[in-house]
Amino acid sequence: MKYYRSHVLVCQDPDCVHRGSKEILAALNSELQAQGLSGEVQVLETSRIGDCDQGPEIMVYPEGAHYGNLTADDVPYIVEEHLLKGRIAQKFLLKEDTFIDEELRAPSAKEIRVVLRNCGKIDPENIEDYIAEDGYMALAKVLTEMNPDEVIDTISKSGLRGRGGAGFPTAKKWGMVKSKTDPVKFITCNADEGDPGAFMNRRVLEGDPHSVIEGMIIGAFAIGASYGYIYCRAEYPIAVKMLNIGIQQARALGLLGENIMGTGFSFDMEVRMGAGAFVCGEETALIASIEGKRGEPRPRPPFPADKGLWGHPTNNNNVETYANVPQIILKGADWFSSMGTEKSKGTKTFALASDVKNTGLIEVPLGITLRELVYEVGGGIKGDKQFKAAQIGGPAGGMLSKDHLDLKVDYESLVGAGAMMGSGGLVIMDEDTCMVDMARFFMDFIQDESCGKCTPCRVGTRRMLEILTRICEGKGQDGDIETLEMLCDQVRSTSLCGLGQGAPNPVASTLKLFREEYLAHIYEKRCPAKVCRGLISFNILDGPCTGCTVCARNCPVNAITGERKQTHVIDPDLCIRCGICKQVCNFDAVVIN
Amino acid sequence: MPVETKETQAAVQAVKMAIEKYGPNREELIPILNHINQDIGYLPQESLDEISVLLKVPKSQLISVASFYQMLSTKKRGKHVIKFCESAPCHVVGGREIIQTLKNELNLVTCGTTSDEKWTLEMTSCLGVCAVGPVFMVDDDIYGNVTTEQVPQILSRYS
């Protein structure tokens, strides 16, 4: 193993990339080369150092100096001062008083890093970094000290439940596959994270791929599988790359393949890429897609535990579920079950998105309240507006309103409130969001992604979308709500797979929690949140308008007229209500009525 | 006998390369199709014909798979492909205005390819970078926190 005296971590989060971190990376490499330091200083790509809003940011170890707000021109100075002369470049230092441990700790007190513990800390392309953080220790323990029953028993005691959404006990699933007598068994990992607004698994796959690989090998040992597939969506090319590098490196060290660690246990795996189909996250569709077919679900039973890939027993878990396994084995079931609530143990990663101040990835113990999630971890609502709703569990999940702020986020409580855990997408919405529009939006997504195999889902979602679209256009009719409720009920009870069964959830939960908004749309032809285009009109206020002509020049349909330095006027007949004028106005003169 | 054009040759060559990489197995069909789709930009009829022969799979089955997945295209696409994220987090933070601006800039009413075949506008499912929405991709470049003013400027970077 090669040793370096310094390590420079360059944040490559989308936020930082957007601010120019790719240029920083290139400048660093060329400057180190020029100064003859390439052999002494290692440059690593990482993510989520913690201050992307001050990006591009880098971290220099062993000092733990955290530099931010950089441009490529600043790089030669930092290289000369810090890496050549050994002086901290004070003028780029983000926080003078921070030291290493605090930086790597989770940013808010409510967060715990279990699944994400290595993300941003290790080099995902180097298996030795993972091994240095106790990587593959759990596998060694399992292969040398435990039998499959003991492994399943440990997982069972820990209370680990499937992190893909439904929360099925992991040990029970493993036990079912283990009990099958078929000599050929498979293990699959669902990395087809398709829920809009969910990117937890992407982070783990990109930042710590070996935790998933190790978890799968342990699972394979427990159930007696000899081959595994990670089904990763094609929208995540970096995740696919990291997994492939990880698998190759594990194979080179004898952690995958024949006779793993000399114990006689053999297992290998590969990555399968999806091709853009949301329904492939459903386990029977996922199996069909790995087999090279249309990713359509089939009726269960038989469950994959009986007949999965090519008719053989198959165990399928989510990325986060596998990533939890090595640590449970190493630290014990009691450690894991000390976190969370009575029935929901451990931590959960969530992707906080939309109208919350601190968007991004978080990991919190299960049982945290929604209020803590939004106001403490998320830092509150942007622009200090009112919290209106949270959408949890992806498009098949449900809405939570402000009455649910003190709800504990765990599997049972969420189902009780008409939502579900899902894989961890958490879209926070402020007072300016129209709930009918949101319901229409999710229905649009679902009907687009419906694979078309069963009628209730294919036709039912289409009919619901048509009604919702009509309501949003201001053409809602008496009886629409009742029809929607009937369709919700029928689609839910008669669809083939989880996609169709969950499809009515956004409509049903908004109807329950925000019924008055539907009533306002249908009977008063009014959109209370001023979002639905058919029910609003744009006007320019006399006072604030300076006649700068920006709106008129940007209007795609030339609906705005007016002389320079005179108040402009929007022609309501020509206006398509695209809202561009409101966005470009520098004087807040465009208002919605 | 169909006329051998440059396109036909490229379509057949792409199939040969993909099959060499993944092996002539039915179960490798999706990786093979993905490979060709990336190589040529879409799946030409000639490629599907060739796969059908080499993998011994009926063409109807090939088309059923190729038309199912969003990322596989059986229609010719433009020189640059714009993938606009249509997911909820991007929608909530102003994605609707961005897609409208994109359509205006490209002179498109709905998604599709421009008449000069320079651009193809597509909606895509979540790209997983929701923290910086609205987001769209042009070819392999990703743009986040996009505002309507930035759209023409971003498009002008591509010739």
Side-chain angles (χ1 to χ4, degrees), chain A residues 90-108:
Chain A
Q90 293 291 346
K91 65 175 175 178
F92 297 111
L93 211 54
L94 277 183
K95 285 171 237 145
E96 283 172 55
D97 55 350
T98 50
F99 50 90
I100 302 167
D101 283 346
E102 221 169 57
E103 278 298 334
L104 290 176
R105 222 168 50 202
S108 95

Side-chain angles (χ1 to χ4, degrees), chain A residues 12-241:
Chain A
Q12 294 291 317
D13 261 0
D15 230 10
C16 276
V17 169
H18 188 61
R19 292 183 158 86
S21 63
K22 287 265 186 253
E23 288 75 21
I24 301 289
L25 196 64
L28 253 176
N29 281 323
S30 71
E31 190 61 25
L32 288 173
Q33 191 90 43
Q35 300 274 12
L37 295 175
S38 304
E40 298 170 43
V41 179
Q42 190 182 25
V43 178
L44 299 169
E45 292 178 37
T46 181
S47 68
R48 207 174 152 87
I49 293 178
D51 275 301
C52 284
D53 54 333
Q54 299 188 61
E57 52 175 346
I58 66 171
M59 194 92 175
V60 185
Y61 287 103
E63 295 86 353
H66 186 181
Y67 299 123
N69 296 317
L70 302 175
T71 68
D73 296 338
D74 301 329
V75 170
Y77 176 81
I78 290 178
V79 170
E80 188 177 328
E81 279 297 299
H82 191 150
L83 297 170
L84 195 66
K85 297 179 180 163
R87 294 191 292 239
I88 304 276
Q90 293 291 346
K91 65 175 175 178
F92 297 111
L93 211 54
L94 277 183
K95 285 171 237 145
E96 283 172 55
D97 55 350
T98 50
F99 50 90
I100 302 167
D101 283 346
E102 221 169 57
E103 278 298 334
L104 290 176
R105 222 168 50 202
S108 95
K110 294 283 176 202
E111 295 183 56
I112 308 177
R113 295 271 169 91
V114 175
V115 173
L116 300 175
R117 70 192 174 116
N118 287 334
C119 291
K121 192 172 155 193
I122 64 165
D123 177 6
E125 294 186 46
N126 189 347
I127 191 169
E128 282 159 355
D129 271 34
Y130 179 67
I131 291 172
E133 294 290 335
D134 295 340
Y136 291 102
M137 285 266 285
L139 178 65
K141 183 177 172 187
V142 162
L143 293 182
T144 57
E145 294 171 21
M146 298 169 88
N147 64 40
D149 285 321
E150 285 166 348
V151 175
I152 295 178
D153 199 42
T154 305
I155 300 297
S156 171
K157 281 194 186 123
S158 76
L160 177 66
R161 296 169 68 173
R163 294 294 191 250
F168 192 80
T170 306
K172 214 170 162 185
K173 213 178 207 180
W174 288 13
M176 281 184 329
V177 183
K178 183 183 175 287
S179 69
K180 305 293 177 229
T181 49
D182 191 329
V184 181
K185 291 175 192 171
F186 292 102
I187 188 163
T188 54
C189 173
N190 185 346
D192 193 51
E193 185 179 48
D195 284 4
F199 49 93
M200 305 76 52
N201 295 350
R202 180 179 69 102
R203 195 76 230 96
V204 176
L205 295 170
E206 290 177 6
D208 194 14
H210 286 286
S211 67
V212 181
I213 296 171
E214 186 182 3
M216 278 183 79
I217 307 174
I218 294 170
F221 174 77
I223 64 170
S226 53
Y227 205 82
Y229 293 92
I230 301 179
Y231 186 83
C232 187
R233 67 199 294 246
E235 287 90 338
Y236 290 176
I238 302 172
V240 173
K241 182 181 145 201

Side-chain angles (χ1 to χ4, degrees), chain B residues 6-15 33-48 73 75-79 81:
Chain B
K6 243 186 203 163
E7 283 85 37
T8 322
Q9 281 170 10
V12 172
Q13 188 57 31
V15 174
L33 292 176
N34 252 327
H35 189 271
I36 301 166
N37 198 70
Q38 264 183 4
D39 201 357
I40 307 185
Y42 74 113
L43 299 170
Q45 287 301 319
E46 293 86 351
S47 293
L48 294 178
S73 173
K75 281 189 210 133
K76 191 167 183 185
R77 301 199 287 180
K79 188 173 165 196
V81 179

Side-chain angles (χ1 to χ4, degrees), chain A residues 523-536:
Chain A
Y523 297 102
E524 299 167 36
K525 305 290 175 213
R526 186 172 64 83
C527 174
K530 299 178 179 174
V531 172
C532 293
R533 287 180 198 175
L535 298 168
I536 54 170

